[in-house]
Amino acid sequence: MPVTEFLSADDIHLLTEVGMVGAGARLHVDALALFEALAVLRPGRDFPWIGQLAVWLNRGQADEAVRVLQQGCQCAAQAPEDSQTAHPGDLTLLTAFLGFAQHMARRTADSRQTMQKVLTMPYHPHAHAMAKDMLGLTTQNTLLTPLQEPST
């Protein structure tokens, strides 16, 4: 039995929400500690790394957000697909947020390259929408919602 089974999915979800509230309320040290603990419990998932991103960006430290998301992408890429620590699409979403963090850190070329990579990864509606928006590939009057996959 894995050590993390003492927390249910609902518990993890609640802790994630508490961390996001903390990040928004500028309780950076507490929120960061919570997200770092969640990253230990669920290293291949996206939410603990995105939570850390929110903390670092709220602190005005985009370079640290890039470093953390690079670590998160490595963890997601290494997580076995059949475990509770991985979820289809998490790596795609983390990569999109990495591109956003690179943009915020004024690493424009890196951001553009990362967002182009997102579009070649398994489809995730929010990640692909973010990448297309940041690359200027969206149209103003699209009839697609972020949850619809475009037909090719």
Side-chain angles (χ1 to χ4, degrees), residues 46-57:
D46 56 14
F47 56 87
W49 305 103
I50 293 169
Q52 290 179 63
L53 163 83
V55 171
W56 290 116
L57 290 181

Side-chain angles (χ1 to χ4, degrees), residues 76 88-97 118-119 121-124 127-128:
D90 279 2
L91 180 56
T92 305
L93 188 60
L94 281 172
T95 305
F97 273 105
V118 167
L119 296 178
M121 296 174 77
Y123 183 77
H124 184 288
H128 281 227

Side-chain angles (χ1 to χ4, degrees), residues 3 10-11 14 18 23 32 64 68 78 88-89 106 119 128 131:
V3 113
D10 288 340
D11 294 336
L14 177 62
V18 168
L32 189 58
E64 188 61 19
V68 165
Q78 295 170 356
R106 300 176 191 256
L119 296 178
H128 281 227

Side-chain angles (χ1 to χ4, degrees), residues 5 11 20 22 24-25 30 32 46 62 66 69 72 74 79 98 104 122 124 129 131 133 135 137-138 144:
E5 286 190 20
D11 294 336
M20 284 299 193
D30 297 327
L32 189 58
D46 56 14
V66 169
L69 282 172
Q74 288 175 342
L98 172 60
M104 296 302 292
H124 184 288
D133 283 347
L135 292 169
L137 300 175
T138 56
L144 298 176

Side-chain angles (χ1 to χ4, degrees), residues 18-127:
V18 168
M20 284 299 193
V21 170
R26 305 188 69 77
L27 299 171
H28 298 143
V29 172
D30 297 327
L32 189 58
L34 183 54
F35 287 124
E36 287 172 344
L38 288 169
V40 170
L41 295 173
R42 300 290 193 275
R45 295 302 314 270
D46 56 14
F47 56 87
W49 305 103
I50 293 169
Q52 290 179 63
L53 163 83
V55 171
W56 290 116
L57 290 181
N58 283 344
R59 291 178 77 167
Q61 295 178 296
D63 287 323
E64 188 61 19
V66 169
R67 184 196 65 76
V68 165
L69 282 172
Q70 287 170 332
Q71 181 182 358
C73 287
Q74 288 175 342
C75 287
Q78 295 170 356
E81 291 184 29
D82 60 346
S83 74
Q84 74 182 54
T85 64
H87 188 271
D90 279 2
L91 180 56
T92 305
L93 188 60
L94 281 172
T95 305
F97 273 105
L98 172 60
F100 176 73
Q102 289 167 327
H103 175 78
M104 296 302 292
R106 300 176 191 256
R107 299 181 190 177
T108 307
D110 290 341
S111 174
R112 185 164 187 76
Q113 183 178 6
T114 300
M115 289 307 195
Q116 288 170 338
K117 178 181 176 183
V118 167
L119 296 178
T120 68
M121 296 174 77
Y123 183 77
H124 184 288
H126 304 297

